[in-house]
Amino acid sequence: MVKNPLFLSAGILAFLFYSGIVPVKKCRTFHSLLDKTQIRTLEGWVSSNPVKSPLFGSSYKTGFVLFRAASETAVSEASGDVTLYIPEAIVESFYPGKLYSRAKTDDGKIPLIESGARLRLSVEKIKKTEFEDSYLVKEAFGLGWEGNSLLSRLYRFRAVCRLQFKRLMYSWGKAGGLLLALLTGSREYTEKSISDAFRNSGLSHILALSGMHLGLFGAVACFFGRKAGGRNFGDALQLCAVSFFVFFAGISPSLFRAFLAALILYLNSLFRMNRPDALTLLSLCFILHILIFSNHIFEPAFMFSYASLGGIIIFGKVFRKVYPVFIPHRLRLSLSDSTAAQLATAPVSIKLFGTLMPQGIIASLFLAPLVFLFLYTGLFGIIICLILPFLSPPISAIMNGLYLLISTFVLFFSFR
């Protein structure tokens, strides 16, 4: 481990960034001739999925790439990106069960806030920021989609598909809300009590888009691909499946880490190279990740994702020797990995939440298989409903039965 150059490089980079010795800067810094505090209008396009934020009442946080800014007296070209906090009344205008008439603009049009959408925004500068420019949105006006290229059409198609998917999940009730969070990262319909219970029981990583979700899609695609066209076709189909999932769900830190690993392993298999060990692979993903998305490094999902996997790789074998041999092998393996992950993420948990959730070691043994079953059942249920819509009610009943079982365990381990 000490002699692994990639691991040493990743460790040095982590120390430099998290210690503050080397400041993290955005790749696209916001530039404008106007005083940033005097800007009242921004024009640009949405660069990331809106995600729920507890700041400013109830709002959504998203990235925004600029091409114009204006104050009350002047207009200027602009470049770079900023962080927006958009009221839920605007973002949720199209969402089923969450219609807000007050979000309508003067011309009656309501913008769909999704990646690729071009917007004109009435904003106010937020004084307290981390390392990026942040604005609170007051009004939003739709300007269509970013450009007329094939990519813009794909973004428009993606936005419509995500909206329709939300409508299907809404019809499934509470189970649909959880499945929506697991498959797209959208938590608008996840019960707050259950979402809090996942965090309080040390199971926040289950709700994060990660390798488990990509593995589900990839494994199914690889299985059918290899049956149809052999190893190369199966590997290619697997990469296409995980790429589609990342495109549809959006780039989150933990999901992008899993995607990088899948891409590296695919190239490794394609060129018949020696398969890298787990620590080398994780270290390479870490280095590439911070080069591509440096702004992810301080996000909780990024820190938990890399810390938990690193802990499993480094300490997992140690705990397998610590737990008694009379414990069944599979159970001892799960306990060891869960303990190693909890140990590695303990500093992050204390720093961010001021507490530890050691019950997550035991909780994972029960919840991880249940959530995996929930995901597989939901995936096949969606496919069936698209082909035979009249079967949606019985599938919804099955999903809600699984949801009841999951929520019971989660609430139990949260000690609430």
Side-chain angles (χ1 to χ4, degrees), residues 38-124:
Q38 300 300 316
I39 291 176
R40 295 293 178 266
T41 303
L42 294 174
E43 290 187 18
W45 56 276
V46 180
S47 59
S48 62
N49 293 334
V51 294
K52 276 281 191 180
S53 171
L55 300 179
F56 312 107
S58 185
S59 62
Y60 284 78
K61 178 182 177 182
T62 186
F64 195 67
V65 178
L66 299 169
F67 53 76
R68 189 173 293 110
S71 64
E72 293 181 352
T73 58
V75 178
S76 169
E77 297 297 312
S79 63
D81 54 15
V82 297
T83 297
L84 299 179
Y85 290 90
I86 309 176
E88 64 176 11
I90 296 176
V91 177
E92 297 179 351
S93 295
F94 285 92
Y95 294 0
K98 295 190 174 186
L99 299 179
Y100 294 85
S101 59
R102 61 190 174 92
K104 292 183 179 180
T105 59
D106 294 336
D107 58 3
K109 295 181 180 179
I110 307 174
L112 178 58
I113 312 295
E114 283 283 357
S115 295
R118 296 171 70 248
L119 303 172
R120 181 187 298 118
L121 305 169
S122 175
V123 299
E124 180 181 341

Coordinates of all heavy atoms in Angstrom, one line a residue, residues 38-124:
Q38 N -24.2 44.0 -7.3 CA -25.3 44.8 -7.9 C -26.0 44.1 -9.0 O -27.0 44.7 -9.6 CB -24.6 46.1 -8.5 CG -23.9 47.0 -7.5 CD -24.8 47.4 -6.4 OE1 -25.9 47.9 -6.7 NE2 -24.4 47.3 -5.1
I39 N -25.7 42.9 -9.3 CA -26.3 42.2 -10.4 C -27.7 41.8 -10.0 O -28.0 41.2 -8.9 CB -25.5 40.9 -10.8 CG1 -24.2 41.3 -11.5 CG2 -26.3 40.0 -11.7 CD1 -23.3 40.2 -11.8
R40 N -28.7 42.0 -10.9 CA -30.1 41.7 -10.6 C -30.7 40.7 -11.6 O -31.8 40.2 -11.4 CB -30.9 43.0 -10.6 CG -30.6 44.0 -9.5 CD -30.9 43.4 -8.1 NE -30.5 44.3 -7.0 CZ -29.4 44.2 -6.4 NH1 -28.5 43.2 -6.7 NH2 -29.1 45.0 -5.4
T41 N -30.0 40.5 -12.7 CA -30.5 39.6 -13.8 C -29.3 38.8 -14.3 O -28.2 39.3 -14.5 CB -31.1 40.4 -14.9 OG1 -32.2 41.2 -14.5 CG2 -31.7 39.4 -16.0
L42 N -29.6 37.5 -14.4 CA -28.6 36.6 -15.0 C -29.2 35.8 -16.2 O -30.4 35.4 -16.1 CB -28.1 35.6 -14.0 CG -27.3 36.1 -12.8 CD1 -27.0 35.0 -11.8 CD2 -26.0 36.7 -13.3
E43 N -28.5 35.6 -17.2 CA -28.9 34.7 -18.3 C -27.9 33.6 -18.5 O -26.7 33.9 -18.5 CB -29.1 35.5 -19.6 CG -30.3 36.5 -19.5 CD -30.6 37.1 -20.9 OE1 -30.1 36.6 -21.9 OE2 -31.3 38.2 -20.9
G44 N -28.3 32.4 -18.8 CA -27.4 31.3 -19.0 C -28.2 30.0 -19.1 O -29.4 30.0 -19.4
W45 N -27.5 28.9 -18.8 CA -28.2 27.6 -18.9 C -27.9 26.7 -17.7 O -26.8 26.8 -17.1 CB -27.9 26.9 -20.2 CG -26.4 26.6 -20.4 CD1 -25.5 27.5 -21.0 CD2 -25.6 25.5 -20.1 NE1 -24.3 27.0 -21.1 CE2 -24.3 25.7 -20.6 CE3 -26.0 24.2 -19.6 CZ2 -23.3 24.7 -20.5 CZ3 -25.0 23.3 -19.4 CH2 -23.7 23.5 -19.9
V46 N -28.8 25.9 -17.3 CA -28.7 25.1 -16.1 C -27.7 24.0 -16.4 O -27.8 23.3 -17.4 CB -30.1 24.5 -15.7 CG1 -29.9 23.6 -14.5 CG2 -31.1 25.6 -15.5
S47 N -26.7 23.8 -15.5 CA -25.7 22.8 -15.8 C -25.7 21.6 -14.9 O -24.9 20.6 -15.0 CB -24.3 23.5 -15.6 OG -24.1 24.0 -14.3
S48 N -26.7 21.5 -13.9 CA -26.8 20.3 -13.1 C -28.2 20.2 -12.6 O -29.0 21.1 -12.6 CB -25.9 20.4 -11.9 OG -26.2 21.5 -11.1
N49 N -28.6 19.0 -12.2 CA -29.9 18.7 -11.7 C -30.2 19.6 -10.4 O -29.3 19.6 -9.5 CB -30.1 17.3 -11.3 CG -30.1 16.4 -12.5 OD1 -30.4 16.8 -13.6 ND2 -29.7 15.1 -12.3
P50 N -31.4 20.2 -10.3 CA -31.7 20.8 -9.0 C -31.9 19.8 -7.9 O -32.5 18.8 -8.1 CB -33.1 21.5 -9.3 CG -33.2 21.5 -10.8 CD -32.4 20.3 -11.3
V51 N -31.2 20.1 -6.8 CA -31.3 19.2 -5.6 C -31.8 19.9 -4.4 O -31.5 21.1 -4.3 CB -30.0 18.5 -5.3 CG1 -29.6 17.6 -6.4 CG2 -28.9 19.5 -5.1
K52 N -32.6 19.3 -3.6 CA -33.1 19.9 -2.4 C -32.0 20.5 -1.5 O -31.0 19.9 -1.3 CB -34.0 18.9 -1.6 CG -35.4 18.7 -2.1 CD -36.3 19.8 -1.6 CE -37.7 19.5 -1.8 NZ -38.6 20.6 -1.3
S53 N -32.3 21.7 -1.0 CA -31.4 22.3 -0.1 C -32.1 22.9 1.1 O -33.2 23.5 0.9 CB -30.6 23.5 -0.8 OG -29.9 24.2 0.1
P54 N -31.6 22.8 2.3 CA -32.3 23.3 3.5 C -32.1 24.8 3.6 O -32.8 25.4 4.5 CB -31.6 22.6 4.7 CG -30.2 22.3 4.2 CD -30.4 22.0 2.7
L55 N -31.3 25.4 2.8 CA -31.0 26.9 2.9 C -32.2 27.7 2.4 O -32.9 27.3 1.5 CB -29.8 27.2 2.2 CG -28.5 26.5 2.7 CD1 -27.3 27.0 1.8 CD2 -28.2 26.9 4.2
F56 N -32.4 28.9 2.9 CA -33.3 29.9 2.4 C -34.8 29.3 2.4 O -35.4 29.3 1.4 CB -32.9 30.4 1.1 CG -31.5 30.8 1.0 CD1 -30.6 30.0 0.3 CD2 -31.1 31.9 1.7 CE1 -29.2 30.4 0.3 CE2 -29.8 32.3 1.6 CZ -28.8 31.6 1.0
G57 N -35.2 28.8 3.5 CA -36.5 28.2 3.6 C -36.5 26.8 2.9 O -35.9 25.9 3.4
S58 N -37.2 26.7 1.8 CA -37.2 25.5 1.1 C -36.9 25.8 -0.4 O -37.6 26.5 -1.1 CB -38.6 24.8 1.2 OG -38.6 23.6 0.5
S59 N -35.7 25.4 -0.8 CA -35.2 25.8 -2.1 C -34.4 24.6 -2.7 O -34.2 23.6 -2.1 CB -34.3 27.0 -2.0 OG -33.1 26.7 -1.2
Y60 N -34.0 24.8 -4.0 CA -33.3 23.8 -4.7 C -31.9 24.5 -5.1 O -31.9 25.6 -5.5 CB -34.0 23.4 -6.0 CG -35.1 22.4 -5.8 CD1 -36.3 22.8 -5.3 CD2 -34.9 21.0 -6.0 CE1 -37.4 21.9 -5.1 CE2 -36.0 20.1 -5.8 CZ -37.2 20.6 -5.3 OH -38.2 19.7 -5.1
K61 N -30.9 23.7 -5.1 CA -29.6 24.2 -5.4 C -29.2 23.6 -6.8 O -29.4 22.4 -7.1 CB -28.5 23.7 -4.4 CG -27.1 24.1 -4.7 CD -26.2 23.6 -3.6 CE -24.7 23.9 -3.9 NZ -23.8 23.3 -2.9
T62 N -28.6 24.4 -7.7 CA -28.2 24.0 -9.0 C -27.1 24.8 -9.5 O -26.9 26.0 -9.1 CB -29.4 24.0 -10.0 OG1 -29.0 23.4 -11.2 CG2 -29.9 25.4 -10.2
G63 N -26.3 24.3 -10.5 CA -25.3 25.0 -11.1 C -25.9 25.8 -12.3 O -26.8 25.4 -13.0
F64 N -25.2 26.9 -12.7 CA -25.7 27.8 -13.8 C -24.6 28.4 -14.5 O -23.7 29.1 -13.9 CB -26.6 28.9 -13.2 CG -27.5 29.6 -14.2 CD1 -28.5 28.9 -14.8 CD2 -27.3 30.9 -14.5 CE1 -29.3 29.6 -15.7 CE2 -28.1 31.6 -15.4 CZ -29.1 30.9 -16.0
V65 N -24.5 28.1 -15.8 CA -23.4 28.7 -16.7 C -23.9 29.9 -17.3 O -25.0 30.0 -18.0 CB -23.0 27.6 -17.7 CG1 -21.9 28.2 -18.6 CG2 -22.5 26.4 -17.1
L66 N -23.1 31.0 -17.2 CA -23.6 32.3 -17.6 C -23.1 32.7 -19.0 O -22.1 32.3 -19.5 CB -23.0 33.4 -16.6 CG -23.5 33.2 -15.2 CD1 -22.7 34.2 -14.3 CD2 -25.0 33.6 -15.1
F67 N -24.0 33.6 -19.7 CA -23.5 34.3 -20.9 C -23.9 35.8 -20.8 O -23.5 36.5 -21.7 CB -24.0 33.6 -22.2 CG -25.5 33.4 -22.2 CD1 -26.4 34.4 -22.5 CD2 -26.0 32.1 -22.1 CE1 -27.7 34.2 -22.6 CE2 -27.4 31.9 -22.2 CZ -28.2 32.9 -22.4
R68 N -24.7 36.2 -19.8 CA -25.0 37.6 -19.7 C -25.5 37.9 -18.3 O -26.1 37.1 -17.6 CB -26.2 38.0 -20.7 CG -26.4 39.5 -20.8 CD -27.5 39.8 -21.9 NE -26.9 39.4 -23.3 CZ -27.3 38.4 -24.0 NH1 -28.3 37.6 -23.6 NH2 -26.8 38.2 -25.2
A69 N -25.2 39.1 -17.9 CA -25.6 39.6 -16.6 C -26.0 41.1 -16.7 O -25.5 41.8 -17.6 CB -24.4 39.5 -15.5
A70 N -26.9 41.5 -15.8 CA -27.3 42.9 -15.8 C -27.6 43.4 -14.4 O -28.1 42.7 -13.5 CB -28.6 43.0 -16.7
S71 N -27.3 44.7 -14.2 CA -27.7 45.4 -13.0 C -28.9 46.2 -13.3 O -29.5 46.1 -14.4 CB -26.5 46.3 -12.5 OG -26.2 47.3 -13.4
E72 N -29.3 47.1 -12.5 CA -30.4 48.0 -12.7 C -30.1 49.0 -13.8 O -31.0 49.6 -14.4 CB -30.9 48.7 -11.4 CG -31.4 47.7 -10.4 CD -31.9 48.4 -9.1 OE1 -31.6 49.7 -9.0 OE2 -32.5 47.8 -8.3
T73 N -28.8 49.3 -14.0 CA -28.5 50.4 -15.0 C -27.6 49.9 -16.1 O -27.3 50.7 -17.1 CB -27.7 51.5 -14.2 OG1 -26.5 50.9 -13.6 CG2 -28.6 52.1 -13.1
A74 N -27.1 48.7 -16.1 CA -26.1 48.3 -17.2 C -26.3 46.8 -17.5 O -26.8 46.0 -16.6 CB -24.7 48.6 -16.8
V75 N -25.8 46.4 -18.7 CA -25.8 45.0 -19.1 C -24.4 44.7 -19.5 O -23.7 45.5 -20.2 CB -26.8 44.8 -20.3 CG1 -26.7 43.3 -20.8 CG2 -28.2 45.2 -19.9
S76 N -24.0 43.5 -19.2 CA -22.6 43.0 -19.5 C -22.6 41.6 -20.0 O -23.4 40.8 -19.4 CB -21.7 43.2 -18.3 OG -20.4 42.6 -18.5
E77 N -21.7 41.2 -20.9 CA -21.5 39.8 -21.2 C -20.8 39.2 -19.9 O -20.2 39.8 -19.1 CB -20.5 39.6 -22.3 CG -21.1 40.2 -23.7 CD -22.3 39.5 -24.1 OE1 -22.3 38.2 -24.1 OE2 -23.3 40.2 -24.4
A78 N -21.1 37.9 -19.7 CA -20.6 37.2 -18.5 C -20.1 35.8 -18.9 O -20.5 35.2 -20.0 CB -21.6 37.1 -17.5
S79 N -19.3 35.2 -18.1 CA -18.8 33.8 -18.4 C -18.6 33.2 -17.0 O -18.5 33.8 -16.0 CB -17.5 33.8 -19.2 OG -16.5 34.5 -18.5
G80 N -18.3 31.9 -17.1 CA -18.1 31.1 -15.8 C -19.5 30.6 -15.3 O -20.5 30.7 -16.0
D81 N -19.4 30.0 -14.1 CA -20.7 29.5 -13.5 C -20.9 30.0 -12.1 O -19.9 30.4 -11.4 CB -20.7 28.0 -13.6 CG -19.5 27.3 -13.0 OD1 -18.7 28.0 -12.3 OD2 -19.2 26.1 -13.2
V82 N -22.1 29.9 -11.7 CA -22.5 30.3 -10.3 C -23.4 29.2 -9.8 O -23.8 28.3 -10.5 CB -23.3 31.7 -10.3 CG1 -22.4 32.8 -10.8 CG2 -24.5 31.6 -11.2
T83 N -23.7 29.3 -8.5 CA -24.6 28.4 -7.8 C -25.9 29.2 -7.5 O -25.9 30.3 -7.0 CB -24.0 27.9 -6.5 OG1 -22.8 27.2 -6.7 CG2 -25.0 27.0 -5.8
L84 N -27.0 28.6 -7.9 CA -28.3 29.2 -7.7 C -29.1 28.4 -6.6 O -29.0 27.2 -6.5 CB -29.1 29.1 -9.0 CG -28.6 29.8 -10.2 CD1 -29.5 29.6 -11.4 CD2 -28.3 31.3 -10.0
Y85 N -29.8 29.2 -5.9 CA -30.8 28.6 -4.9 C -32.2 29.1 -5.4 O -32.5 30.3 -5.4 CB -30.5 29.1 -3.5 CG -29.3 28.5 -2.9 CD1 -28.0 29.1 -3.1 CD2 -29.3 27.3 -2.3 CE1 -26.9 28.6 -2.6 CE2 -28.1 26.7 -1.8 CZ -26.9 27.3 -1.9 OH -25.8 26.8 -1.4
I86 N -33.0 28.1 -5.9 CA -34.3 28.5 -6.6 C -35.4 28.0 -5.7 O -35.4 26.8 -5.2 CB -34.4 27.7 -7.9 CG1 -33.1 28.0 -8.7 CG2 -35.6 28.2 -8.7 CD1 -33.1 27.3 -10.1
P87 N -36.4 28.9 -5.4 CA -37.5 28.5 -4.6 C -38.2 27.2 -5.1 O -38.3 27.1 -6.3 CB -38.4 29.7 -4.6 CG -37.5 30.8 -4.9 CD -36.4 30.3 -5.8
E88 N -38.7 26.4 -4.3 CA -39.4 25.2 -4.7 C -40.7 25.5 -5.5 O -41.0 24.7 -6.4 CB -39.8 24.3 -3.5 CG -40.8 25.0 -2.6 CD -41.2 24.0 -1.5 OE1 -40.6 23.0 -1.3 OE2 -42.2 24.4 -0.8
A89 N -41.3 26.6 -5.3 CA -42.4 27.0 -6.1 C -42.1 27.1 -7.6 O -43.0 26.9 -8.4 CB -43.0 28.4 -5.6
I90 N -40.9 27.4 -7.9 CA -40.5 27.5 -9.3 C -40.1 26.2 -9.9 O -40.6 25.7 -10.9 CB -39.4 28.5 -9.5 CG1 -39.8 29.9 -9.1 CG2 -38.8 28.5 -10.9 CD1 -38.7 31.0 -9.2
V91 N -39.2 25.5 -9.1 CA -38.7 24.2 -9.6 C -39.8 23.1 -9.7 O -39.9 22.3 -10.7 CB -37.6 23.7 -8.7 CG1 -37.1 22.3 -9.1 CG2 -36.5 24.7 -8.6
E92 N -40.8 23.1 -8.8 CA -41.8 22.1 -8.7 C -43.0 22.4 -9.5 O -44.0 21.7 -9.3 CB -42.1 21.8 -7.2 CG -40.9 21.3 -6.4 CD -41.2 21.0 -5.0 OE1 -42.4 21.4 -4.6 OE2 -40.4 20.4 -4.3
S93 N -43.0 23.4 -10.3 CA -44.2 23.8 -11.0 C -44.8 22.7 -11.9 O -46.0 22.6 -12.0 CB -43.9 25.0 -11.9 OG -43.5 26.1 -11.2
F94 N -43.9 21.8 -12.5 CA -44.4 20.8 -13.3 C -44.6 19.5 -12.6 O -45.2 18.5 -13.1 CB -43.4 20.5 -14.5 CG -43.5 21.6 -15.5 CD1 -42.6 22.7 -15.5 CD2 -44.4 21.5 -16.6 CE1 -42.7 23.6 -16.5 CE2 -44.4 22.4 -17.6 CZ -43.6 23.5 -17.5
Y95 N -44.2 19.4 -11.3 CA -44.2 18.1 -10.6 C -45.6 17.7 -10.2 O -46.4 18.5 -9.8 CB -43.3 18.2 -9.4 CG -41.8 18.4 -9.6 CD1 -41.3 18.5 -10.9 CD2 -40.9 18.5 -8.6 CE1 -40.0 18.7 -11.2 CE2 -39.5 18.7 -8.8 CZ -39.1 18.8 -10.1 OH -37.7 18.9 -10.4
P96 N -45.9 16.4 -10.4 CA -47.2 16.0 -10.0 C -47.5 16.1 -8.5 O -46.6 15.9 -7.7 CB -47.2 14.5 -10.3 CG -45.7 14.1 -10.3 CD -45.0 15.3 -10.8
G97 N -48.7 16.7 -8.2 CA -49.1 16.9 -6.8 C -48.4 18.1 -6.2 O -48.7 18.4 -5.0
K98 N -47.6 18.9 -6.9 CA -46.9 20.1 -6.4 C -47.0 21.2 -7.4 O -46.0 21.7 -7.8 CB -45.5 19.7 -6.1 CG -45.3 18.7 -5.0 CD -43.9 18.5 -4.6 CE -43.7 17.6 -3.4 NZ -42.4 17.6 -2.9
L99 N -48.2 21.6 -7.7 CA -48.4 22.7 -8.7 C -48.5 24.0 -7.9 O -49.3 24.2 -7.0 CB -49.7 22.5 -9.5 CG -49.7 21.2 -10.3 CD1 -51.0 21.0 -11.1 CD2 -48.5 21.2 -11.3
Y100 N -47.7 25.0 -8.4 CA -47.7 26.3 -7.8 C -48.1 27.4 -8.8 O -47.3 27.7 -9.7 CB -46.3 26.7 -7.2 CG -45.9 25.8 -6.1 CD1 -45.3 24.5 -6.3 CD2 -46.1 26.2 -4.8 CE1 -44.9 23.8 -5.2 CE2 -45.7 25.4 -3.7 CZ -45.1 24.2 -3.9 OH -44.7 23.4 -2.9
S101 N -49.3 27.9 -8.8 CA -49.7 28.9 -9.8 C -48.9 30.2 -9.7 O -48.7 30.9 -10.6 CB -51.2 29.2 -9.6 OG -51.5 29.7 -8.3
R102 N -48.4 30.5 -8.5 CA -47.6 31.7 -8.3 C -46.3 31.7 -9.0 O -45.6 32.7 -9.0 CB -47.5 32.0 -6.8 CG -46.7 30.9 -6.0 CD -46.8 31.2 -4.5 NE -46.2 30.2 -3.7 CZ -45.0 30.2 -3.3 NH1 -44.2 31.2 -3.6 NH2 -44.5 29.2 -2.5
A103 N -45.9 30.5 -9.5 CA -44.6 30.4 -10.2 C -44.7 30.9 -11.6 O -43.7 31.0 -12.3 CB -44.1 29.0 -10.1
K104 N -45.9 31.1 -12.1 CA -46.1 31.5 -13.5 C -45.5 32.9 -13.8 O -45.6 33.8 -12.9 CB -47.6 31.5 -13.9 CG -48.2 30.1 -13.9 CD -49.6 30.1 -14.4 CE -50.2 28.7 -14.5 NZ -51.6 28.7 -14.9
T105 N -44.9 33.0 -14.9 CA -44.4 34.3 -15.3 C -45.5 35.2 -15.9 O -46.6 34.8 -16.1 CB -43.3 34.2 -16.4 OG1 -43.8 33.5 -17.5 CG2 -42.1 33.3 -15.8
D106 N -45.1 36.4 -16.3 CA -46.1 37.4 -16.8 C -46.7 36.9 -18.1 O -47.9 37.2 -18.4 CB -45.5 38.8 -17.0 CG -45.1 39.4 -15.7 OD1 -45.7 39.0 -14.7 OD2 -44.2 40.2 -15.7
D107 N -45.9 36.2 -18.9 CA -46.5 35.7 -20.2 C -47.1 34.3 -20.1 O -47.5 33.7 -21.1 CB -45.4 35.6 -21.3 CG -44.2 34.7 -20.8 OD1 -44.3 34.1 -19.8 OD2 -43.2 34.6 -21.6
G108 N -47.3 33.8 -18.8 CA -48.0 32.6 -18.6 C -47.1 31.4 -18.8 O -47.6 30.3 -18.6
K109 N -45.9 31.5 -19.2 CA -45.0 30.4 -19.4 C -44.3 30.0 -18.1 O -43.9 30.9 -17.3 CB -44.0 30.7 -20.5 CG -44.6 30.9 -21.8 CD -43.5 31.1 -22.9 CE -44.1 31.3 -24.2 NZ -43.0 31.6 -25.2
I110 N -44.2 28.7 -17.8 CA -43.5 28.2 -16.7 C -42.2 27.5 -17.1 O -42.3 26.5 -17.9 CB -44.3 27.3 -15.8 CG1 -45.7 28.0 -15.5 CG2 -43.6 26.9 -14.5 CD1 -46.7 27.1 -14.8
P111 N -41.0 27.9 -16.7 CA -39.8 27.2 -17.2 C -39.6 25.8 -16.5 O -39.9 25.7 -15.3 CB -38.7 28.2 -16.8 CG -39.2 28.9 -15.6 CD -40.7 29.0 -15.8
L112 N -39.2 24.9 -17.2 CA -38.8 23.6 -16.7 C -37.4 23.6 -16.3 O -36.5 23.8 -17.1 CB -39.1 22.5 -17.7 CG -38.7 21.0 -17.3 CD1 -39.5 20.6 -16.1 CD2 -39.0 20.1 -18.4
I113 N -37.1 23.5 -15.0 CA -35.7 23.7 -14.5 C -35.0 22.3 -14.5 O -35.2 21.5 -13.6 CB -35.7 24.2 -13.0 CG1 -36.6 25.4 -12.9 CG2 -34.3 24.6 -12.6 CD1 -36.2 26.6 -13.7
E114 N -34.3 22.1 -15.6 CA -33.5 20.8 -15.8 C -32.3 21.2 -16.5 O -32.1 22.2 -17.1 CB -34.3 19.8 -16.5 CG -35.4 19.1 -15.7 CD -34.9 18.0 -14.8 OE1 -33.6 17.8 -14.8 OE2 -35.7 17.4 -14.1
S115 N -31.3 20.2 -16.5 CA -30.0 20.5 -17.1 C -30.2 20.8 -18.6 O -31.0 20.1 -19.3 CB -29.1 19.2 -17.0 OG -28.8 19.0 -15.7
G116 N -29.6 21.9 -19.1 CA -29.6 22.3 -20.5 C -30.6 23.4 -20.7 O -30.6 24.0 -21.8
A117 N -31.5 23.7 -19.8 CA -32.6 24.7 -20.0 C -31.9 26.1 -19.9 O -31.1 26.4 -19.0 CB -33.6 24.6 -18.9
R118 N -32.3 26.9 -20.9 CA -31.8 28.3 -20.9 C -32.8 29.2 -20.2 O -34.0 29.1 -20.4 CB -31.6 28.8 -22.3 CG -30.5 28.0 -23.1 CD -30.5 28.4 -24.5 NE -30.0 29.7 -24.8 CZ -30.7 30.7 -25.3 NH1 -32.0 30.5 -25.6 NH2 -30.2 31.9 -25.5
L119 N -32.3 30.1 -19.2 CA -33.2 30.8 -18.4 C -32.7 32.3 -18.3 O -31.5 32.6 -18.4 CB -33.2 30.2 -17.0 CG -33.6 28.8 -16.8 CD1 -33.4 28.3 -15.4 CD2 -35.1 28.6 -17.2
R120 N -33.7 33.2 -18.0 CA -33.4 34.5 -17.6 C -33.9 34.6 -16.2 O -35.1 34.4 -15.9 CB -34.0 35.6 -18.5 CG -33.7 37.0 -18.1 CD -34.5 38.0 -18.8 NE -34.2 38.0 -20.2 CZ -35.1 37.7 -21.2 NH1 -36.4 37.4 -20.8 NH2 -34.8 37.7 -22.4
L121 N -33.0 35.0 -15.3 CA -33.4 35.0 -13.8 C -33.3 36.3 -13.2 O -32.4 37.1 -13.4 CB -32.4 34.0 -13.1 CG -32.3 32.6 -13.7 CD1 -31.1 31.9 -13.0 CD2 -33.6 31.8 -13.4
S122 N -34.2 36.6 -12.3 CA -34.2 37.8 -11.5 C -33.6 37.3 -10.1 O -34.1 36.4 -9.5 CB -35.6 38.3 -11.2 OG -35.6 39.4 -10.3
V123 N -32.4 37.9 -9.7 CA -31.7 37.3 -8.6 C -31.2 38.3 -7.6 O -31.3 39.5 -7.8 CB -30.4 36.6 -9.2 CG1 -30.8 35.4 -10.1 CG2 -29.5 37.6 -9.9
E124 N -30.7 37.8 -6.5 CA -30.1 38.6 -5.5 C -28.9 37.9 -5.0 O -28.9 36.7 -4.7 CB -31.1 38.8 -4.3 CG -30.6 39.7 -3.2 CD -31.6 39.9 -2.0 OE1 -32.8 39.6 -2.3 OE2 -31.1 40.2 -0.9

